[in-house]
Amino acid sequence: MNRAARALSLLLLPVLPLVLGACGTERPAATADADRPAANPATGGRATPGTAELDSRAKALGVAPELVYVTASPGFTVVRQSVGVYGGDGFSAVYWSRSSGARIGLFVDRGTLTGADCERVPVGGAGPDDAVVCERDGDAWYRTSGGHHEYALVRDGHVVRLEADSAGVDRAVLKAAARAAHRPDAAELDALLPPLPERTATAPVERGDLPPVGDGAPDNEVNTTG
């Protein structure tokens, strides 16, 4: 899938402690509570799932769990419907400002970005023929092209990109969002990823031509009339 087209389409888019009395073999309340999964306020106080379930939820989207990132920017909230796969097994999400309508796209994909190829890689939302201007900014690349800009953070084996329309999101806001990008903890993942799809059990289909004995091969015997 064309990376620029994918980016453009996305951008347009209190728990009370339980007090136990000390008696017999009962454990103290602090010890018992420590064994329970932590509650997640973002999901109505239910327990945060474990790593295995969260990884399964990422994989159900086609996303490698280690490529999921989140960010934070004042006034912007993630659009849950935008959370999904990017490229082969990368990750994408869009953050939206209710007040201004501006959007910041977060994209993570395998690979790298160097000074040698920075100007040859299109900026999300820009056209393939728009010239790319690259500037080093700390440990990131700041890139502009065709009225769009992005901050690209090169990590171990992958690149994290924060992209936006230059007119809708200024550079300082985009830079702050890039600096806030991080691997989510379990509570953040639980709030971000959709639940696993429900599976409906289906009974095996019964065939009328299977004999009740033998190896179960279909009975293809032709009677005297046919």
Side-chain angles (χ1 to χ4, degrees), residues 6 8 21-22 27 31-32 53 65 71 95 100 111 128 135 141 145 147-149 159 163 170 176 182 189 194 204 226:
R6 168 66 172 167
L8 180 59
R27 294 177 297 168
T31 303
E53 178 182 328
T71 190
Y95 289 76
S100 68
E135 174 188 335
W141 289 102
S145 178
H148 295 263
H149 59 165
V159 182
E163 305 171 353
D170 66 31
H182 63 279
L189 271 175

Side-chain angles (χ1 to χ4, degrees), residues 6-208:
R6 168 66 172 167
L8 180 59
S9 65
L10 284 172
L11 289 174
L12 296 176
L13 289 171
V15 176
L16 296 176
L18 179 64
V19 179
L20 300 178
C23 61
T25 59
E26 289 185 336
R27 294 177 297 168
T31 303
D33 288 345
D35 292 340
R36 300 192 183 101
N40 183 359
T43 55
R46 66 175 174 80
T48 300
T51 301
E53 178 182 328
L54 294 171
D55 284 356
S56 295
R57 286 162 62 178
K59 292 175 181 178
L61 297 174
V63 177
E66 67 273 17
L67 298 184
V68 179
Y69 275 71
V70 294
T71 190
S73 183
F76 286 80
T77 56
V78 69
V79 180
R80 291 288 301 275
Q81 295 87 343
S82 72
V83 174
V85 67
Y86 176 67
D89 59 354
F91 175 76
S92 66
V94 172
Y95 289 76
W96 172 67
S97 168
R98 179 182 295 275
S99 61
S100 68
R103 292 169 171 81
I104 297 175
L106 185 157
F107 304 95
V108 187
D109 204 5
R110 300 188 188 277
T112 189
L113 189 67
T114 67
D117 60 15
C118 187
E119 295 182 354
R120 296 198 295 266
V121 178
V123 172
D129 298 325
D130 291 328
V132 178
V133 177
C134 294
E135 174 188 335
R136 196 66 180 169
D137 189 345
D139 67 344
W141 289 102
Y142 176 65
R143 310 170 68 235
T144 59
S145 178
H148 295 263
H149 59 165
E150 75 171 26
Y151 268 90
L153 309 167
V154 180
R155 296 295 181 251
D156 186 17
H158 58 275
V159 182
V160 182
R161 294 179 170 87
L162 281 297
E163 305 171 353
D165 186 310
S166 302
V169 179
D170 66 31
R171 178 172 177 174
V173 171
L174 192 61
K175 181 177 181 178
R179 295 182 66 179
H182 63 279
R183 293 275 293 117
D185 60 24
E188 289 174 312
L189 271 175
D190 188 30
L192 179 72
L193 299 174
L196 288 170
E198 294 184 3
R199 296 181 179 179
T200 303
T202 57
V205 177
E206 295 186 4
R207 291 181 54 181

